[in-house]
Every structure is written in structure tokens, then in C-alpha cells.
Amino acid sequence: MTPEVSVIIPAYNRCAMLLEAIDSVLAQSTPAFELIVIDDGSTDGTAERLERLTETTRIEIERIDHRGPAAARNRGVAIARAPLVAFLDSDDLWSPAKLERQLTFMRDNPGCAISQTNEIWIRNGRRVNPGHRHRKRAGDIFIDSLRTCLIAMSSVMMRTDLFRSSGGFDEHLAAAEDYDLWLRILIDHEAGLLDEPLVTHRAGHPDQLSATTPALDRFRILALTKLLSDHRLSPARRTAVVEVLAGKCGIYARGLRRRGKIEEARLYEWVADQARGWLMRAVPEIGCAVESMRSMLREIPHDC
């Protein structure tokens, strides 16, 4: 029987938290799912623990060489069988009703291509309230999502065909690959929201990506430069992208200057100036310039 939704969990050296995440999926109130765990080259015993799980649990496991969460999620969707896909990070948890409630939402809203639920945030073991800029909302959230990623990975459910046609996560991005994909999708699609806290997001632990990946805004800047050459952007949306890109480049450049990285700072200041100039140019002219710029930005050391 074909499942209604494929659940994808990427795993890298978080064995204990991963097992808790898996348990939260197996405790779902609906059985209409397949669970796919992609072990992204873990070295902490994850592979052995997962192998033992397959003896008693309905779970599909594939081990790949370590390439990062974008590649792991893409591989999971590549082997998914369901018409819908949902992602769960290995450090997060689902309420037992999460899949059932969200599947109902997607059935009741057949025109909805991507939806999310609300979350409970736990930081360092304590519940915290998200700031106003992080609060989720439904509808056309493209422009608001430029400054702050408004779609949470572990709350998403989306049409599998949409994920595949969008090209999936950009494996060149070591971070902010979710920010990049959601923006590309939000150009054409409104986001649905099931306003119930059905996900527990656990933050503050030392191996969290935001704590282990330096210069996170560098990857958001890369995503925005790529977005500028997308022919689907209206003039108003392209202007909004340029404004946010210039702002992020300016903030990042000031940080580089404080650390004495003057040449790197000048490059990001140049990117901001170039982006402003593109507002007066046609989209085909922008494409080659964007790719050249992205190549230069990728070459900057990650510790900048």
C-alpha cells in the first residue's frame, strides 16, 4: 500500500536525539506514512543503532558519505514513494497528532502545495517564546521571508512533485539551504498554516548547525544573489530582494571590517552596489553576472 506521506530525517552524529525523533514519528496517531532516515556518514554509532531498529521497526535506512543535510534530504525525497513529503530534523520532536492533523489539512485544502504547523521552542531545556518576526502566518509570505526564514523545516509538509520540480535543496550551500528553497517555492505558492503547536523545536545544544557553521549570513547572501536571476520575480519582488541583499551585505561587511578583513568587506560592499544597479537591467543580463558573483562569494573562506 502506498503511504500518504514520506517522512525524511537526515542524521549526522546525534544518535541519542535522533532516536527520540524517530520515536516521535513512530508514535504518530496515523499509520499512513513511510519513515526514511538518511545517515549522512555518522561516526558516533548511529549506523549500528539504526540497523538494530530495522529488526523491529517499519523504517527505511540509507547510509551515504557525509555531504551535509541538503544532500541527505534530497536523497530521502529521491527514494520517497508518497505524494506528500514531511521533514523532521534529528534534534526536533513531533506531537503524536502532527501527521494526522496536517494530512487532514492538506486534504481539506487541495490547492495548497506547502503547509506548516506551529511550534514549541525549547532552548537549553527551557520553553521560550519566538520573537514577533518569527511568528508564522499563512498566505503570500515571500517578501516577509526575505529577512527572516518563516518556514520551519520540521513543521513542513509539501507535495513531493513540487519539491522535485523545484530542484530540491541546493547542495552547494553548507547552511541556509532551507531559506533558499522556501524562497524559490514562495515565488509561486502561498504557504498554508495549521495554527497548532505540533512540533517541538530544540535549540541551544552545542552541535546545532547555527552554532557549528560560521558566517551563516554568507549563505543567505548566496541564496539571495541566486534568486535575483529568477525570471519569475515581479519588479516589486526583485526590488525587495535587492533591498534585503544590500542590507545583509552591509551588515556582514561591517562585521568583516571590525575583524580586520578589509578586502572581504569590500567585496560584499561591491555586491550590494552591483545588486542595486541590476534593478535597471533585464533579467537575462543578470544571469551571467549573478553566477560570476556567486563563484567569487563561494571562494571566500568560511571563517569570514
Side-chain angles (χ1 to χ4, degrees), residues 207-248:
D207 66 340
Q208 190 174 9
L209 188 62
S210 59
T212 60
T213 305
L216 277 175
D217 247 2
R218 172 174 176 259
F219 299 101
R220 298 185 186 103
I221 289 168
L222 279 167
L224 290 169
T225 58
K226 180 173 69 174
L227 194 62
L228 272 179
S229 61
D230 197 307
H231 70 277
R232 297 172 298 160
L233 286 177
S234 66
R237 289 189 171 190
R238 180 166 288 104
T239 297
V241 173
V242 166
E243 289 174 351
V244 174
L245 172 61
K248 287 186 180 294

Side-chain angles (χ1 to χ4, degrees), residues 72-281:
R73 293 191 195 99
N74 285 346
R75 179 55 191 162
V77 179
I79 61 178
R81 297 184 296 129
L84 293 164
V85 62
F87 300 101
L88 176 59
D89 282 348
S90 58
D91 53 348
D92 292 338
L93 302 169
W94 281 351
S95 159
K98 197 267 188 186
L99 283 184
E100 184 173 12
R101 295 285 298 118
Q102 200 165 13
L103 281 169
T104 299
F105 179 89
M106 296 297 282
R107 291 190 208 105
D108 291 345
N109 296 274
C112 180
I114 181 168
S115 71
Q116 62 178 328
T117 74
N118 241 314
E119 303 173 287
I120 295 170
W121 283 18
I122 303 294
R123 184 177 298 278
N124 298 319
R126 299 181 61 184
R127 182 166 180 171
V128 297
N129 293 321
H132 178 75
R133 68 189 181 96
H134 290 285
R135 289 177 184 166
K136 296 181 175 61
R137 45 201 175 273
D140 180 358
I141 59 172
F142 174 82
I143 289 179
D144 288 344
S145 295
L146 292 170
R147 298 188 185 279
T148 303
C149 186
L150 292 179
I151 295 183
M153 181 69 70
S154 294
S155 73
V156 163
M157 184 178 288
M158 64 186 299
R159 311 287 174 189
T160 306
D161 286 347
L162 171 61
F163 181 92
R164 290 171 176 163
S165 65
S166 72
F169 295 104
D170 186 340
E171 297 180 19
H172 291 103
L173 295 176
E177 76 284 351
D178 53 343
Y179 172 82
D180 169 75
L181 177 59
W182 309 145
L183 285 175
R184 286 187 276 126
I185 287 173
L186 290 171
I187 292 175
D188 289 328
H189 298 277
E190 294 189 352
L193 175 62
L194 178 57
D195 194 11
E196 299 179 29
L198 300 174
V199 174
T200 298
H201 173 61
R202 298 188 288 184
H205 50 88
D207 66 340
Q208 190 174 9
L209 188 62
S210 59
T212 60
T213 305
L216 277 175
D217 247 2
R218 172 174 176 259
F219 299 101
R220 298 185 186 103
I221 289 168
L222 279 167
L224 290 169
T225 58
K226 180 173 69 174
L227 194 62
L228 272 179
S229 61
D230 197 307
H231 70 277
R232 297 172 298 160
L233 286 177
S234 66
R237 289 189 171 190
R238 180 166 288 104
T239 297
V241 173
V242 166
E243 289 174 351
V244 174
L245 172 61
K248 287 186 180 294
C249 283
I251 293 169
Y252 194 50
R254 288 194 290 274
L256 290 170
R257 285 185 177 277
R258 283 196 297 271
R259 297 195 297 278
K261 299 180 181 293
I262 305 304
E263 289 304 314
E264 292 89 342
R266 286 173 178 161
L267 175 57
Y268 281 93
E269 290 160 352
W270 175 81
V271 168
D273 289 340
Q274 290 295 302
R276 293 187 188 100
W278 286 340
L279 289 176
M280 306 302 295
R281 295 165 64 182

Side-chain angles (χ1 to χ4, degrees), residues 12-60:
Y12 180 65
N13 286 352
R14 279 185 187 152
C15 189
M17 298 185 87
L18 169 64
L19 295 176
E20 293 175 347
I22 289 173
D23 283 344
S24 78
V25 177
L26 298 177
Q28 291 299 297
S29 56
T30 175
F33 66 88
E34 65 173 352
L35 175 55
I36 300 170
V37 178
I38 305 298
D39 179 7
D40 186 29
S42 297
T43 58
D44 66 342
T46 291
E48 294 75 16
R49 293 295 298 274
L50 290 176
E51 188 63 32
R52 289 200 292 273
L53 269 182
T54 62
E55 298 172 3
T56 57
T57 305
R58 182 166 54 97
I59 180 173
E60 182 167 352

